[in-house]
Amino acid sequence: MNCNDVRENLIELLTGGPADPQVTAHLSQCSACTQELASMRKTMALLDEWEVPEPSPYFLTRMRAHLKEEREKAPAAKWVAWLRRPVLAVSMATALAAGGLLYRLTVATPPPENGAVADIESLDKNHDLILDSDLVNELTGAPSDDVAEP
């Protein structure tokens, strides 16, 4: 076992967890890892002895005053920030619904055609096509398909 593997298991040794026999064997052979373990134990002992200092009453008074100033600074920003997200979501949903409705109304499907109406429309299109081809024939000088003129 190398020193890197032992360093990963040092925390378990510090907390009193089960000791791996390979780690204990390595610690008995490697003085660097043994020194690191001893240094960590000293640090943990110092942390156990250390007491967190209590803040002074003046500190708490200043902190409360500062918080009060911040609250009074922008009271409108609270409700605007609270209102901004739901209003944005509702407005986007409304815009999508209105757009879908508008699309549905403007792009209406054509009414179903009657069979006779469709036939008449196709005959109209054919007649227009024949007139256009006659015009092309006249312009090019080709003979017309019409009945011969007397």
Side-chain angles (χ1 to χ4, degrees):
M1 184 168 245
N2 60 19
C3 292
N4 289 333
D5 294 335
V6 171
R7 286 187 187 123
E8 292 176 3
N9 295 324
L10 286 181
I11 301 296
E12 292 177 11
L13 288 173
L14 285 173
T15 58
D20 188 9
Q22 292 178 346
V23 173
T24 54
H26 179 79
L27 286 174
S28 64
Q29 296 173 358
C30 181
S31 63
C33 291
T34 306
Q35 288 175 353
E36 187 172 347
L37 180 62
S39 172
M40 290 177 111
R41 284 185 176 152
K42 286 180 187 177
T43 304
M44 294 298 283
L46 283 173
L47 287 173
D48 287 340
E49 293 173 7
W50 182 66
E51 291 183 21
V52 178
E54 291 293 321
S56 69
Y58 181 67
F59 171 78
L60 292 176
T61 305
R62 287 191 63 201
M63 179 63 79
R64 288 185 190 118
H66 182 68
L67 288 174
K68 185 178 179 182
E69 288 174 6
E70 289 296 319
R71 280 188 215 128
E72 291 173 356
K73 193 181 284 185
K78 283 185 184 178
W79 69 270
V80 170
W82 176 81
L83 193 61
R84 185 177 299 152
R85 288 189 180 169
V87 167
L88 183 62
V90 169
S91 63
M92 290 299 290
T94 305
L96 284 173
L101 182 64
L102 186 63
Y103 176 77
R104 182 78 172 157
L105 292 175
T106 57
V107 183
T109 56
E113 294 185 1
N114 212 344
V117 173
D119 290 342
I120 292 173
E121 286 180 355
S122 66
L123 288 174
D124 265 350
K125 290 177 186 175
N126 289 341
H127 180 68
D128 292 340
L129 183 64
I130 291 170
L131 290 177
D132 288 343
S133 66
D134 286 342
L135 181 62
V136 169
N137 287 339
E138 287 177 16
L139 291 175
T140 58
S144 177
D145 294 340
D146 290 342
V147 180
E149 295 179 7

